[in-house]
Amino acid sequence: MDISNMATSAALKPVAFHILASLADKEKHGYAMMQAVRELSGGQIPLQTGSFYRHLGQLIAAGLIVESSGRPADDDPRRGAYYRLTPRGRETLASEAQRLSNLLSAIGPLRPSRKGSH
Amino acid sequence: MVAQPSVMSARVYALALRAYPRAVRDRFGAGMRDAFAQDLDQARRRGSLRLASFVAVSLGQAIWFGALERLGLTVRPYQNDRFGGRSRSGSWTDVRDAYRSLRSAPLVAAVAIGSLALGIGANTALFSILNSLVFKPLPVHEPDRLALLDPGSFSNPVWEEIRDRHASVGTAGAFAWSVERFNLADAGEMTFVDGIYASGSFFEVLGVGASIGRTFDAHDDAPGGGPAGRVAVISHGLWQRRYGGALDAIGRAVTISRQPFTIIGVMPASFFGPDVGRAADIILPIGAAVGTRQAQLRTAATWMNIMVRLKPGQTVDHAAEYFRAVQPQIRVATQPDDRRPDQHLADDFTLASAANGRSTLRQRYETPLTIILIVVGIVLLSACANLANLFLARATARQPEFSLRLALGASRWRVARQLIVESVLLAIAGSALGLIVAQWGSALLVRQLATTAVPVVLNLTIDWRVLGFSAAAALVTSILLGLAPAASLSRLVEGDVLKAQGRGVMADGRSFTRSALLISQVALSLVLVVAAALFLRSFVMLTSVPLGFDPERLIVVAVDSQRAGSPSTPGPELAERLRTAVASVPGVASATVSYTTPFATRGWNGFIRIPNRAALPERESLSWVNLVFPGFFSTYGMRLIQGRDISLQDVHGRDRVTVVNEAFIRRFFPGENVIGLRFSGGTATDDTHTIVGVVSDAVYRSQRLGVPPTMYAPWAQQEPFTTFSITAQSATSAAPPRQAIAVALMREEPAVAYTFRGFGDQYHASVVQERLVTLLSVFFGVLALLLAALGLYGVTSYLVGRRRAELGVRLALGASGRDIRRLVLRRVVWLVGAGIAAGTALSLWAVGFIQAQLFELQPRDPVTLAVAAAVLFAIGVIAGWLPARRAARIDPAIVLREG
């Protein structure tokens, strides 16, 4: 494995990774994204509304997520905006997934029973 | 029922979202509210504890993150690069690091926050009292247009002249009022309530209306009552206390000071009248005045204050000019027959801004409270000095860490910033807790200000001034705490400490800062100890002023014999009947009647003129007056020095006689044999009195005022008062029996109202201000002393710890334990000595400010100063002795091995 590559690509925070991942299948509104993060992380990331939107704001600012212009026809008007990944966001998600998987395979033989660190 | 809390929570959450900048709210607000609502549903299904914690966390997050957004502090999606400079530069990281660093030393943090909370809390408590007493504007319409007419108080004729001719010309309106205590009981033991008599223009000029019913106006302010009869407006507080907030309280009849009144309105809860510190629970029109005040409506007795409302744009000086211009007119129109023209309204009218009301409490307590505020400010400084020393020690202990960071390329500022953030964090936590301490402390203090006769009601709610004050205190403390440790970094050389870390005899680069801190702390403590000692001595001197009578076995029954609803005054024999009834109670040795009693709030004075002699200056020609029954002096244990007591024969129609005290002779007839001499004035200007006796001096109103010239005139030779005092002397050493006296009074005359006054209460009330100042200054003086001792102890211990190796070597080389003790103590003695020298100089300067607060004591009292210095020195040396003893017991073998 070429570890020289890892040094240049910065690691995403777990929260940011999960938020991007929550949009991998389709566009969603905020609360659906939160729920997806909670499920994806198996409760490891107990996301609260405040911190979720804090991260969402930054991911939008970083150009990884955008607000969708349209909304589904059967939508509840109380839901806020819908969001989707930008091409760059999809790329980042893929490369982060790759990085993590590389990391996993690198430590494969030493894999501890619990507790991994970045 | 279930929906309601969630609707409310949603509303509160929406409100909390306002913490976010508008742009963020517009963008995410709907989504956030939706997510909150959904999660709220989830949380509710999992129990009320879960629900509560969810709501709390959500609200906290909304406010906190909102604030962070506003500050432009955002999160990064990428993980921190621990070794790069870029990601370690955010202020947020500093806060987090500081928090972690404090959490790793919980004891230090707890001590620091605790002492700051106490210090800032005490300061804030005093400030919030001063704030409500001095700074808060009256809760009325445009309070800054109100002004108080000086000097002092005015008679009703003067007020009527101003009302009828001048108020509407010179100003936008005026009102008169007087501070009163009203009795709400029909008969029997009195129930007192604070209130005021106010003119019909009162509510209109203040610009306040009733919350229920109506207020009164000029029509109601007619002699004996207007078209609606005698009307009363009551406060929100009294309405709640007495009528349970019932709406039908309006229109109810109430007996106020033995006369029937009808309640016509209730004031809003925020209204307390024009006097700060006092609740106007009952407001009566002046025209409906009862008792003594009714009699004074037509006399020149001065008992009213006058407040005016300035015209828009009119200055206080401009309005005052108007009043001065019409003063001669007013003087002529109201000239009383029995006063010389040059004595009537002699002082020029002036106006003083009254935006924050009038307050006798303010006059009494502004200076003492300011002094105490300065005292607790010094205590806070002293606590800061201790903490700064503690942090300095910590910073020194962390030098290897800092040194390493400097060596790795961190800037000095970068490292110092963390120390500063730590102290800011402590100060914020301290002042937040301090606000709670202040709320509790100020309420406690206000309770101390109150006496049985004078309740104190102050609005102590926290406003922007109080918040600003405690924020300023936090700022100052954080600067004081952080500065010294941060400054100590400047001398740190990269990698230096890494080298020195091994061991050795290290020059202590910080010792100068530390010594300076300690010396100033000792100096400030000395100032406080000196102040406390002065107040204590002054208080002891004040309370040991001879009273001139024996209060032990006395009790006073103040009687109001005016019959409810009856305008006629009861005959003069009533006082004698009641006196006899009290005197015949078993256990009562004797009973006497007088107009007033020592320490009572009621007083009477008049100008004395001696025939064929030059008049003394006005202020010096005053004598206090009491009207007494025969036997008054023996009941009070006052000695008759010359001549005779007042006798039963001294009645109307006979020559007016009087007994005067020694102070009276010293003032008016120094060195003369006064028996048989005559003078006029005192009771009334045209009364001429013959002196028949001289009695020993006794306090009239309070010990602070001392023994003034006093004349005792026979009760039976004056118009009878409907209110008077019966003093009963116990036959035993126990206090006279209240219950039996009450029963006897009621049996004799069921219609009278009475109240008991023990001399204990009155005595306490007369020195409450001095007692409070003494207590507080002693308390804080001792606290400062302890803080200084703690500081000395801490620093000496620390230094001994640092010099362990050196001291061990000294011991190994043959120094004795005594040598070591002397070595350590020498430094302590030097520090304390320098502190005391500086403190003495500081005290000599500072005590000048408290001179006015001291009773017959020179503030630069050398004995007090010497004692205070000795106490401080002894405590300082003890604080240094303990670590010195420990130093002497160092085992050199162990120390040498450690190396």
Side-chain angles (χ1 to χ4, degrees):
Chain A
M1 190 196 64
D2 180 12
I3 57 163
S4 64
N5 208 17
M6 281 170 56
T8 53
S9 84
L12 272 180
K13 281 184 179 169
V15 191
F17 175 72
H18 279 91
I19 293 177
L20 289 180
S22 73
L23 290 176
D25 52 345
K26 58 171 184 186
E27 56 179 68
K28 291 191 176 75
H29 59 76
Y31 190 65
M33 288 168 74
M34 282 170 65
Q35 290 291 59
V37 170
R38 288 168 183 169
E39 272 166 38
L40 274 174
S41 70
Q44 290 282 309
I45 299 176
L47 204 54
Q48 297 283 351
T49 311
S51 38
F52 168 71
Y53 276 97
R54 213 165 132 67
H55 284 103
L56 179 61
Q58 276 322 104
L59 290 170
I60 292 174
L64 305 182
I65 293 178
V66 285
E67 204 173 297
S68 300
S69 40
R71 340 172 29 121
D74 59 339
D75 183 47
D76 182 337
R78 276 176 309 179
R79 308 270 174 243
Y82 277 66
Y83 303 93
R84 62 179 166 78
L85 287 175
T86 61
R88 203 171 140 219
R90 205 163 279 284
E91 203 176 288
T92 309
L93 179 64
S95 79
E96 176 69 4
Q98 184 60 51
R99 190 187 69 86
L100 288 174
S101 128
N102 288 347
L103 205 61
L104 268 184
S105 59
I107 63 159
L110 327 163
R111 202 166 179 177
S113 53
R114 270 198 87 235
K115 199 183 176 188
S117 96
H118 60 269
Chain B
M1 278 323 282
V2 182
Q4 213 177 358
S6 74
V7 169
M8 213 178 72
S9 306
R11 264 191 209 146
V12 173
Y13 188 70
L15 200 67
L17 287 183
R18 294 197 154 260
Y20 282 92
R22 196 182 183 98
V24 176
R25 248 185 300 148
D26 286 348
R27 195 172 184 190
F28 295 137
M32 289 172 111
R33 283 194 298 275
D34 174 49
F36 175 78
Q38 305 254 8
D39 277 345
L40 187 72
D41 260 10
Q42 297 282 332
R44 191 167 36 228
R45 276 185 221 122
R46 292 159 73 180
S48 54
L49 194 69
R50 211 37 180 268
L51 181 67
S53 74
F54 167 74
V55 172
V57 167
S58 300
L59 292 179
Q61 271 199 350
I63 294 168
W64 178 237
F65 288 150
L68 290 182
E69 289 285 347
R70 278 181 193 272
L71 294 175
L73 300 173
T74 53
V75 284
R76 263 175 308 279
Y78 295 101
Q79 288 178 10
N80 285 338
D81 180 352
R82 287 274 159 192
F83 300 103
R86 183 178 55 101
S87 61
R88 287 287 301 164
S89 61
S91 319
W92 174 235
T93 323
D94 277 327
V95 174
R96 204 171 48 195
D97 283 352
Y99 173 70
R100 284 177 183 159
S101 145
L102 289 175
R103 216 175 49 178
S104 70
L107 192 68
V108 173
V111 167
I113 293 176
S115 44
L116 286 183
L118 283 178
I120 296 178
N123 275 283
T124 310
L126 280 158
F127 179 79
S128 67
I129 294 179
L130 267 180
N131 178 37
S132 58
L133 209 55
V134 183
F135 302 123
K136 264 190 196 169
L138 279 183
V140 300
H141 177 67
E142 294 189 23
D144 45 345
R145 276 172 56 207
L146 293 175
L148 194 66
L149 189 64
D150 273 333
S153 47
F154 302 93
S155 68
N156 191 45
V158 170
W159 157 242
E160 285 178 354
E161 186 67 16
I162 289 175
R163 175 190 69 191
D164 296 341
R165 287 183 221 286
H166 304 296
S168 56
V169 182
T171 61
F175 68 86
W177 87 103
S178 79
V179 165
E180 306 285 338
R181 299 206 82 196
F182 295 119
N183 169 23
L184 281 181
D186 293 334
E189 183 138 14
M190 301 185 202
T191 318
F192 285 112
V193 173
D194 278 345
I196 56 175
Y197 284 122
S199 65
S201 49
F202 180 75
F203 298 100
E204 190 198 326
V205 171
L206 282 180
V208 288
S211 64
I212 304 172
R214 66 177 182 94
T215 55
F216 58 74
D217 57 20
H219 300 288
D220 298 297
D221 181 19
R230 291 173 191 265
V231 295
V233 173
I234 64 174
S235 73
H236 182 87
L238 185 69
W239 180 53
Q240 291 292 339
R241 285 200 304 275
R242 203 173 150 89
Y243 299 101
L247 286 172
D248 67 348
I250 307 296
R252 278 204 212 175
V254 57
T255 305
I256 300 173
S257 294
R258 325 273 289 149
Q259 296 293 329
F261 281 83
T262 310
I263 296 173
I264 57 164
V266 177
M267 294 307 290
S270 63
F271 184 79
F272 54 81
D275 296 277
V276 176
R278 205 173 168 282
D281 278 333
I282 293 182
I283 307 167
L284 305 180
I286 290 172
V290 299
T292 320
R293 292 297 187 221
Q294 186 177 17
Q296 287 174 338
L297 284 177
R298 301 265 55 89
T299 70
T302 57
W303 52 287
M304 291 176 177
N305 295 102
I306 296 177
M307 204 181 270
V308 303
R309 180 171 283 282
L310 304 173
K311 294 175 184 172
Q314 187 182 32
T315 64
V316 169
D317 291 335
H318 188 228
E321 261 169 44
Y322 171 80
F323 279 103
R324 273 198 291 277
V326 298
Q327 189 168 6
Q329 272 172 268
I330 298 175
R331 187 182 295 139
V332 170
T334 59
Q335 175 64 44
D337 304 333
D338 58 354
R339 288 191 77 175
R340 297 207 310 255
D342 60 338
Q343 283 184 350
H344 178 60
L345 292 181
D347 294 324
D348 278 348
F349 282 150
T350 54
L351 279 175
S353 171
N356 35 24
R358 189 189 74 121
S359 178
T360 47
L361 209 62
R362 183 188 304 151
Q363 290 156 13
R364 263 179 86 184
Y365 285 108
E366 187 172 354
T367 318
L369 282 177
T370 310
I371 290 174
I372 298 296
L373 184 63
I374 292 169
V375 166
V376 287
I378 294 178
V379 171
L380 178 61
L381 283 181
S382 189
C384 280
N386 268 3
L387 292 177
N389 253 328
L390 192 67
F391 278 76
L392 203 53
R394 247 185 111 222
T396 315
R398 283 164 73 184
Q399 271 181 7
E401 173 202 336
F402 297 147
S403 180
L404 182 63
R405 282 174 67 183
L406 288 181
L408 288 175
S411 68
R412 261 169 227 286
W413 165 236
R414 193 63 210 69
V415 179
R417 202 163 71 182
Q418 194 193 332
L419 287 172
I420 294 171
V421 170
E422 266 177 42
S423 58
V424 169
L425 216 58
L426 282 176
I428 290 175
S431 55
L433 263 178
L435 274 178
I436 300 170
V437 173
Q439 280 287 285
W440 172 80
S442 54
L444 187 79
L445 270 177
V446 166
R447 275 205 296 281
Q448 300 302 311
L449 299 183
T451 62
T452 39
V454 187
V456 173
V457 181
L458 276 179
N459 175 12
L460 290 173
T461 48
I462 291 177
D463 63 359
W464 62 268
R465 290 184 198 83
V466 175
L467 280 178
F469 179 86
S470 81
L475 185 71
V476 170
T477 46
S478 54
I479 289 172
L480 288 175
L481 284 190
L483 218 53
S488 75
L489 284 175
S490 65
R491 262 173 270 127
L492 200 62
V493 181
E494 294 113 75
D496 217 17
V497 182
L498 290 179
K499 278 176 268 166
Q501 202 177 6
R503 57 173 282 182
V505 184
M506 247 181 348
D508 190 348
R510 261 61 54 198
S511 78
F512 174 75
T513 321
R514 242 195 299 276
S515 305
L517 275 172
L518 262 182
I519 291 173
S520 39
Q521 197 183 0
V522 170
L524 289 175
S525 305
L526 182 70
V527 176
L528 294 198
V529 173
V530 167
L534 284 174
F535 281 124
L536 192 64
R537 283 194 66 193
S538 158
F539 185 71
V540 169
M541 282 173 82
L542 176 63
T543 48
S544 53
V545 165
L547 299 179
F549 66 95
D550 178 16
E552 290 295 313
R553 295 156 56 206
L554 300 181
I555 194 165
V556 178
V557 199
V559 176
D560 184 348
S561 63
Q562 177 84 44
R563 281 192 191 83
S566 144
S568 69
T569 49
E573 80 296 342
L574 178 74
E576 175 56 24
R577 275 202 288 125
L578 292 175
R579 188 196 70 82
T580 318
V582 171
S584 56
V585 168
V588 172
S590 69
T592 186
V593 172
S594 57
Y595 162 79
T596 185
T597 53
F599 289 113
T601 45
R602 186 181 200 188
W604 182 359
N605 54 26
F607 296 104
I608 302 296
R609 281 198 310 279
I610 303 156
N612 310 323
R613 274 193 220 189
L616 287 167
E618 181 161 337
R619 202 167 279 281
E620 285 177 35
S621 66
L622 270 181
S623 168
W624 291 87
V625 180
N626 200 357
L627 307 180
V628 300
F629 262 42
F632 177 85
F633 304 122
S634 63
T635 300
Y636 270 89
M638 291 155 69
R639 280 176 305 113
L640 201 62
I641 290 168
Q642 221 186 334
R644 64 171 177 90
D645 190 359
I646 284 156
S647 80
L648 288 170
Q649 278 71 50
D650 298 321
V651 293
H652 266 299
R654 300 286 190 98
D655 264 358
R656 283 184 194 278
V657 298
T658 184
V659 173
V660 298
N661 69 356
E662 295 166 289
F664 188 96
I665 298 174
R666 283 196 297 275
R667 173 73 57 81
F668 300 106
F669 301 102
E672 292 179 53
N673 180 5
V674 293
I675 302 296
L677 291 182
R678 296 160 73 85
F679 65 89
S680 61
T683 50
T685 312
D686 51 356
D687 287 355
T688 302
H689 309 269
T690 308
I691 301 175
V692 295
V694 178
V695 75
S696 61
D697 283 340
V699 164
Y700 189 89
R701 252 190 156 151
S702 71
Q703 282 163 307
R704 184 170 267 272
L705 294 179
V707 178
T710 312
M711 58 175 283
Y712 301 88
W715 175 270
Q717 288 187 331
Q718 297 287 330
E719 289 304 315
F721 283 86
T722 56
T723 55
F724 48 85
S725 297
I726 302 175
T727 307
Q729 187 192 33
S730 170
T732 64
S733 57
R738 288 191 184 207
Q739 196 60 38
I741 291 175
V743 169
L745 279 175
M746 285 295 93
R747 195 183 302 137
E748 181 63 34
E749 186 56 67
V752 299
Y754 61 88
T755 185
F756 283 104
R757 286 204 300 254
F759 271 102
D761 288 351
Q762 298 186 59
Y763 180 75
H764 172 80
S766 78
V767 292
V768 66
Q769 171 197 334
E770 290 83 0
R771 180 192 304 268
L772 189 72
V773 171
T774 308
L775 269 178
L776 287 178
S777 60
V778 168
F779 176 77
F780 287 113
V782 169
L783 197 63
L785 208 57
L786 284 179
L787 283 173
L790 211 64
L792 276 167
Y793 172 79
V795 167
T796 314
S797 301
Y798 171 78
L799 285 179
V800 166
R802 296 272 297 182
R803 292 172 72 181
R804 246 172 86 83
E806 178 209 331
L807 297 174
V809 170
R810 279 174 190 267
L811 281 165
L813 291 177
S816 68
R818 247 181 88 186
D819 294 334
I820 298 295
R821 276 201 299 270
R822 193 178 300 152
L823 187 71
V824 175
L825 270 181
R826 199 165 57 201
R827 192 181 149 85
V828 173
V829 168
W830 183 81
L831 284 174
V832 176
I836 287 177
T840 307
L842 200 59
S843 303
L844 286 175
W845 170 75
V847 289
F849 296 101
I850 61 170
Q851 179 145 26
Q853 302 295 317
L854 297 177
F855 180 75
E856 291 182 358
L857 191 65
Q858 274 309 308
R860 293 189 178 82
D861 181 51
V863 178
T864 311
L865 206 60
V867 169
V871 167
L872 196 64
F873 189 80
I875 287 184
V877 169
I878 292 171
W881 171 258
L882 297 172
R885 201 181 54 167
R886 216 168 38 230
R889 288 181 184 168
I890 291 174
D891 184 344
I894 293 178
V895 174
L896 292 177
R897 261 204 308 277
E898 275 173 1

